[in-house]
């Protein structure tokens, strides 16, 4: 009976979501080859992947995995604080620290775990966190877990952040500011210089989530923090699951901060370490990505070509300047309808709806990668312009 009540309650909630155009559904991917995704036997050009450099199918990375599997086996067998601390993790942490201009780095199972671990490991009940209103769910979950007081500032609005700091900072012990360098659903960039000035003035720590920037943006793809605030961001979080084409994540930080997190970051302490062969893959990915300036240039040019074409066709100016391009539709059902119609034309583009994005801002999230050719992005821009005008009429 209890089970029946439980299921009925959740079925009612799911039904409500369905009526609001918010139900999530899994689509089975049969294959992905060079940017072409096979969904139920239909081959579509994939504009939904975060495999920005196309590294997920890299042969050298696969070979590194095979070699490390021979040495280390399939799994770490324990958390790092027990017997799972393979030497290769330290090698990877050294490389990550170096590319991030930090003394140390600490690996996590994923970017989600890194954010909840770092934030809840560093701040607590008497502290506060100032976070951009559009930060990723993992950052918000980390803040909730930490029980620190949360203040959210308007997206990319450093003046609003400053007014909150002025009013609230003194009421708390420690304070942390959290932003993303390149926003995952909006494709725009945080005003990092302004934010680092504020962090110094108001005596806070700064965490910058570079999930969608590392590998693809900044000098040698080392992230946007490296452009001009490398010394001022206390912690950067990066993932290996996006431009590096693999899995796992890291926090780049100072020596003392690492020691604090080894002792206090619960997802680090209480979870099995990454499989060591994944660390071997990530080491190879970091080395390869450093040499991929021409691929980064290609992705930047393709992204610009898409932006130019859609602007020419229907006057749409999409946020940002980089490889994540949001086409804001507004209504959830309209976004789903556009997703379906693009699929019929041969494009796999995902409609992103609340709560991933704020209410009333459902959108198509277009992700440009090294697999695309100019004709792919141009034909997608034309298809969206055509449908967009019709749908918005
Ligand atoms: C900004 C941001 N941070 C963290 C994550 C989580 O990273 P991972 O996929 O490695 O868990 C994501 C994933 O979408 C993200 O967009």
């Amino acid at each position: 009976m209890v089970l029946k009540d439980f299921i009925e309650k959740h079925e009612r909630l799911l039904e409500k979501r369905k009526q609001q155009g918010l139900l999530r559904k899994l689509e089975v991917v049969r294959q992905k080859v060079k940017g072409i995704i096979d969904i139920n036997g239909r081959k579509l050009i994939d504009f939904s992947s975060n495999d920005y450099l196309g590294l997920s199918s890299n042969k050298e990375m696969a070979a590194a995995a095979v070699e490390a599997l021979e040495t280390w086996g399939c799994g770490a067998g324990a958390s790092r604080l027990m017997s799972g601390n393979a030497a290769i993790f330290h090698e990877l942490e050294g490389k990550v620290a170096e590319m991030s201009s930090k003394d140390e780095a600490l690996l996590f199972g994923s970017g989600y775990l890194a954010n909840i671990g770092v934030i809840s490991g560093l701040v607590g009940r008497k502290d506060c966190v100032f976070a951009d209103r559009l930060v990723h769910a993992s950052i918000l979950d980390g803040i909730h877990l930490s029980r620190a007081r949360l203040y959210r500032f308007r997206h990319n609005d450093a003046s609003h952040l400053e007014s909150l700091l002025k009013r609230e900072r003194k009421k708390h012990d420690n304070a942390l500011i959290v932003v993303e360098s390149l926003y995952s659903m909006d494709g725009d960039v945080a005003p990092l210089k302004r934010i680092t000035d504020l962090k110094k003035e108001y005596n806070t720590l700064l965490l910058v989530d570079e999930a969608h920037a590392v590998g693809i943006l900044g000098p040698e793809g080392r992230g946007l923090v490296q452009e001009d605030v490398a010394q001022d961001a206390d912690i950067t979080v990066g993932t290996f699951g996006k431009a590096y084409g693999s899995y796992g994540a890291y926090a780049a930080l100072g020596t003392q901060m690492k020691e604090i997190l080894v002792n206090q970051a619960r997802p680090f302490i209480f979870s099995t370490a990454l499989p060591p062969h994944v660390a071997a893959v990530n080491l190879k990915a970091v080395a390869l990505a450093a040499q991929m300036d021409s691929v980064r240039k290609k992705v930047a040019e393709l992204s610009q070509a898409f932006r130019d074409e859609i602007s020419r066709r229907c006057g749409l100016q999409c946020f940002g300047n980089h490889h994540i391009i949001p086409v804001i539709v507004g209504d959830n059902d309209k976004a789903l309808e556009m997703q379906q119609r693009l699929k019929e034309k041969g494009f796999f583009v995902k409609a992103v709806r609340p709560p991933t994005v704020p209410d009333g801002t459902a959108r198509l999230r277009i992700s440009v990668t090294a697999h695309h050719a100019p004709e792919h992005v141009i034909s997608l821009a034309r298809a969206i312009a055509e449908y967009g005008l019709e749908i918005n009429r």
Side-chain angles (χ1 to χ4, degrees):
M1 241 4 208
V2 174
L3 179 63
K4 188 165 161 277
D5 292 347
F6 177 90
I7 289 175
E8 276 175 10
K9 178 180 163 197
H10 285 280
E11 277 178 349
R12 279 195 301 278
L13 292 174
L14 290 181
E15 185 51 38
K16 194 166 158 216
R17 291 187 76 110
K18 192 172 176 188
Q19 280 161 14
Q20 294 170 325
L22 291 176
L23 198 67
R24 291 175 159 139
K25 283 244 184 272
L26 285 169
E27 292 187 281
V28 179
V29 177
R30 290 199 187 156
Q31 211 184 24
K32 274 189 187 184
V33 182
K34 293 192 188 307
I36 304 296
I37 189 166
D38 180 332
I39 307 272
N40 289 329
R42 280 212 63 198
K43 292 194 168 35
L44 306 164
I45 304 168
D46 185 7
F47 280 96
S48 72
S49 163
N50 301 318
D51 184 16
Y52 303 123
L53 295 171
L55 281 175
S56 71
S57 51
N58 183 275
K59 296 270 187 299
E60 289 178 63
M61 284 162 56
V66 172
E67 196 185 325
L69 276 165
E70 298 286 344
T71 315
W72 294 100
C74 296
S79 71
R80 287 187 59 190
L81 286 165
M82 301 300 279
S83 57
N85 188 28
I88 196 164
F89 297 142
H90 289 269
E91 196 184 333
L92 178 57
E93 285 174 341
K95 289 284 181 225
V96 166
E98 192 183 317
M99 77 170 187
S100 313
S101 319
K102 287 282 171 210
D103 291 335
E104 283 289 352
L106 186 64
L107 298 177
F108 286 86
S110 68
Y112 183 92
L113 293 172
N115 278 332
I116 65 170
V118 170
I119 297 170
S120 64
L122 290 179
V123 289
R125 218 187 276 276
K126 294 186 175 163
D127 305 322
C128 63
V129 181
F130 298 86
D132 187 286
R133 204 166 268 166
L134 295 188
V135 289
H136 190 253
S138 55
I139 294 171
L140 295 176
D141 291 354
I143 299 166
H144 294 315
L145 190 64
S146 76
R147 302 190 199 174
R149 176 74 193 264
L150 168 62
Y151 300 101
R152 299 180 84 170
F153 58 93
R154 285 191 290 275
H155 179 52
N156 276 347
D157 186 341
S159 305
H160 189 214
L161 169 61
E162 181 166 22
S163 69
L164 288 175
L165 284 164
K166 206 177 270 174
R167 206 178 64 208
E168 310 292 349
R169 168 66 189 96
K170 284 204 203 85
K171 299 178 188 164
H172 304 274
D173 286 359
N174 292 320
L176 173 68
I177 298 173
V178 189
V179 295
E180 293 176 30
S181 58
L182 176 71
Y183 279 85
S184 62
M185 294 296 146
D186 287 70
D188 54 358
V189 164
L192 289 176
K193 189 76 194 72
R194 210 39 233 293
I195 289 169
T196 52
D197 290 344
L198 289 173
K199 111 165 194 139
K200 287 185 227 163
E201 189 178 340
Y202 289 89
N203 186 28
T204 81
L205 286 179
L206 172 63
L207 186 163
V208 182
D209 181 339
E210 293 241 64
H212 292 273
V214 281
I216 180 81
L217 296 180
E220 298 94 44
R222 291 183 292 117
L224 290 170
V225 163
Q226 299 304 311
E227 278 183 350
D228 56 2
V229 296
Q231 301 316 313
D232 296 320
D234 301 283
I235 308 141
T236 57
V237 165
T239 172
F240 296 110
K242 303 187 192 295
Y244 291 121
S246 173
Y247 193 68
Y250 64 83
L253 65 197
T255 310
Q256 289 149 318
M257 206 84 89
K258 177 169 177 173
E259 196 182 353
I260 294 168
L261 290 179
V262 165
N263 285 277
Q264 293 184 180
R266 296 170 70 84
F268 176 84
I269 301 167
F270 296 110
S271 192
T272 303
L274 273 176
H277 68 274
V278 175
V281 169
N282 297 346
L283 265 169
K284 181 57 85 180
V286 166
L288 289 171
Q291 308 296 321
M292 293 177 83
D293 275 350
S294 61
V295 180
R296 281 184 280 275
K297 185 163 172 276
K298 175 186 169 187
V299 174
E301 285 169 0
L302 288 170
S303 308
Q304 194 53 48
F306 176 91
R307 289 170 186 278
D308 291 346
E309 185 66 17
I310 202 157
S311 156
R312 199 165 30 241
R313 292 269 156 178
C314 66
L316 194 63
Q317 303 293 329
C318 304
F319 297 147
N321 289 310
H322 297 293
H323 51 282
I324 297 173
I325 309 175
V327 173
I328 310 290
V329 179
D331 181 74
N332 301 330
D333 288 327
K334 275 187 188 168
L336 287 174
E337 188 187 330
M338 280 182 84
Q339 172 182 288
Q340 183 53 32
R341 294 176 74 167
L342 289 171
K343 203 183 239 181
E344 283 155 18
K345 281 257 184 181
F347 302 107
F348 191 68
V349 177
K350 291 301 274 188
V352 183
R353 294 158 290 155
T356 305
V357 294
D359 281 336
T361 71
R363 66 198 63 187
L364 300 172
R365 176 188 185 269
I366 289 135
S367 173
V368 178
T369 75
H371 287 307
H372 294 130
E375 55 273 25
H376 295 148
V377 296
I378 298 298
S379 54
L380 176 66
R382 287 182 186 168
I384 293 176
E386 213 175 281
Y387 293 150
L389 287 179
E390 194 185 310
I391 280 175
N392 289 322
R393 202 173 282 147

